[in-house]
Amino acid sequence: MIIGVFAIVGLVALWCGASLAFNVRGIAVARAEAVRQRNGMRLDAVYSGGRWARPGYYRLLGAVLMLAGAVIVIAAYALWHLG
């Protein structure tokens, strides 16, 4: 039972990390569009504040999440072999 939970959590973390790391432009564009719509900004206006995370942060976050998922999947494999 616990091995299955480890495997599922690890695979979900791998999938979420990969989608976060490789979809940086989609995340940034969607967030910028939401901010523009919420604030009623013009489309050609540039937001220069530091409130929102940069795309590099999302890549790093995705890579760390993928690494954590891989560690969890390896732990599930080790638990499965240990019995």
Side-chain angles (χ1 to χ4, degrees):
M1 169 88 177
I2 193 76
I3 298 169
V5 172
F6 266 80
I8 290 172
V9 168
L11 291 174
V12 167
L14 279 171
W15 179 75
C16 290
S19 68
L20 188 62
F22 297 119
N23 191 19
V24 172
R25 182 169 169 79
I27 293 169
V29 169
R31 179 169 280 198
E33 183 62 29
V35 168
R36 285 187 189 116
Q37 287 178 358
R38 186 171 52 241
N39 294 335
M41 296 172 65
R42 295 179 319 176
L43 288 177
D44 60 349
V46 176
Y47 179 71
S48 63
R51 250 171 76 174
W52 305 106
R54 304 280 187 250
Y57 174 75
Y58 289 118
R59 285 187 192 267
L60 178 66
L61 184 65
V64 169
L65 190 58
M66 285 175 58
L67 179 65
V71 168
I72 292 172
V73 167
I74 291 170
Y77 182 73
L79 285 173
W80 179 57
H81 273 290
L82 289 175

